[in-house]
Amino acid sequence: MQELLKLNHVSTAFNSRNGLVKAVCDVNMTVSSGQIVGLVGETGCGKSVLGQSILRLLPSSAVTSGEIIFEGRDLAQMDDKQIRSVRGRRIAYINQNPSEALNPVLKIGTQLLESLRVCGGLSQKEAKVRAVDLLRSLSFEDPEDIMKKYPLELSGGMKQRALTAMAMCGTPPFLIADEPTKGLDALIRGQVIESLEKFISITGCAAIIITHDLKFANTICDTLALMYAGEIVEFGSTGKLFSAPKHPYLSALKASMPQNGMHVLKGNSCSLIDMPEGCRFADRCGKACEKCRREHPELRPVAEDHMVRCWQYD
Ligand SMILES: Nc1ncnc2c1ncn2[C@@H]1O[C@H](COP(=O)(O)OP(=O)(O)OP(=O)(O)O)[C@@H](O)[C@H]1O
Ligand code: SF4
Ligand SMILES: [Mg+2]
């Protein structure tokens, strides 16, 4: 498979009053054409910041370093005009916070038609038909009515779906979808997943799907990247990670799934300002030893297509 996106030593930190918040630390990852990578992990572990770092959507307090090679060009080195031409057209993006992404003073229909215009190739009449089809495929019962509404008139879940429709306007080779099923009830959630799966299979795009939902990740992703406190701690094929999780954090997350008895993982993630010297998971890990607290483990291969950051597998 052809390599589409390559992250080389990507780190992002925020300047804050309390110090430097190291939200993403030294991420190395390759996504090939057609590959669907799930970015999973608890709240605050850096999933959204990593997604936004790729498209350079972060505020000026953020400092990103490393290379973000997409289709052979480094996105980190592009000027504003160049990166704007990548957003939407080459990399579609579904923001975790639709209220931030939707323009509050424009009707949903206007914004959707504009996205279709940017992606090109359709007359105004064809674009309207396509917009209605897209909204219907995302379980809006009355798409014409939704087109006439302002974002403020929609619920959080509806806004999320409207944003998903906008991301689906073109045929981009890459999609970054941040929590596309957030705030949806079970029925609509299933329909949105089906629609996303259809979009991915029709366009053949590669994707990074950011989600809390391990079950969803297991359904849609062929590869998983598990993040903890800003770094990837386990990476590999979804099948291997689910059947034989190696990192104690992944085992704990699996045990917390409803079908596995909902055993809650106790404790909180470490500070992103004062990072521990050793393993970042040590305070919550039943297998932590002296070395774990002293030395920081690297992400190492444990099998083909399977990397783990844990001293147990050194
Ligand atoms: N603008 C900012 N300034 C300072 N810190 C920030 C900023 N944006 C994010 N952070 C911090 O970066 C860390 C990672 O945040 P991020 O939004 O990536 O988490 P996440 O994994 O997406 O969580 P969730 O699952 O809740 O969406 C968090 O500690 C967050 O507080
Ligand atoms: S390195 Fe040590 S503390 Fe960290 S996950 Fe592995 S066993 Fe647990
Ligand atoms: Mg997030």
Side-chain angles (χ1 to χ4, degrees), residues 73-87:
R73 295 189 301 162
D74 189 355
L75 302 185
Q77 299 300 327
M78 286 185 174
D79 62 28
D80 287 355
K81 193 173 164 212
Q82 289 170 322
I83 191 75
R84 269 202 305 272
S85 73
V86 172
R87 293 181 194 139

Side-chain angles (χ1 to χ4, degrees), residues 42-49 52 96-97 178-179 210 212:
E42 280 171 318
T43 186
C45 70
K47 305 179 298 293
S48 296
V49 171
Q52 290 173 323
Q96 176 177 8
N97 299 308
D178 195 350
E179 303 283 3
I210 299 173
H212 274 96

Side-chain angles (χ1 to χ4, degrees), residues 120-287:
L122 295 182
S123 68
Q124 185 72 0
K125 201 172 155 201
E126 288 168 331
K128 273 195 184 150
V129 172
R130 174 91 182 111
V132 166
D133 282 351
L134 273 171
L135 289 173
R136 190 163 286 122
S137 79
L138 287 157
S139 308
F140 283 106
E141 278 175 16
D142 189 351
E144 281 92 353
D145 183 51
I146 293 297
M147 301 260 289
K148 290 181 205 141
K149 292 203 186 297
Y150 289 96
L152 207 67
E153 298 176 85
L154 305 187
S155 69
M158 285 170 131
K159 279 189 263 201
Q160 191 69 20
R161 283 185 284 149
L163 206 57
T164 302
M166 282 170 211
M168 289 178 169
C169 282
T171 50
F174 207 96
L175 166 72
I176 298 177
D178 195 350
E179 303 283 3
T181 58
K182 194 177 109 183
L184 307 181
D185 67 37
L187 178 69
I188 302 239
R189 196 173 145 275
Q191 289 163 347
V192 169
I193 293 173
E194 200 180 299
S195 186
L196 266 175
E197 279 178 318
K198 212 185 287 171
F199 174 75
I200 288 169
S201 83
I202 289 171
T203 59
C205 70
I208 292 180
I209 309 279
I210 299 173
T211 179
H212 274 96
D213 184 346
L214 282 182
K215 199 171 160 209
F216 167 46
N218 191 19
T219 319
I220 199 166
C221 304
D222 43 56
T223 305
L224 287 185
L226 174 67
M227 285 188 81
Y228 188 82
E231 54 188 14
I232 293 181
V233 296
E234 187 154 357
F235 184 89
S237 71
T238 307
K240 271 192 192 148
L241 265 70
F242 265 86
S243 60
K246 299 280 186 213
H247 200 284
Y249 177 50
L250 182 56
S251 305
L253 284 186
K254 265 192 76 185
S256 72
M257 291 171 79
Q259 62 270 40
N260 297 329
M262 289 178 93
H263 303 287
V264 176
L265 168 61
K266 295 210 177 84
N268 294 310
S269 182
C270 60
S271 157
L272 298 180
I273 296 176
D274 293 314
M275 295 275 193
E277 243 175 74
C279 172
R280 293 177 188 178
F281 187 62
D283 279 350
R284 302 169 86 185
C285 181
K287 296 187 170 155

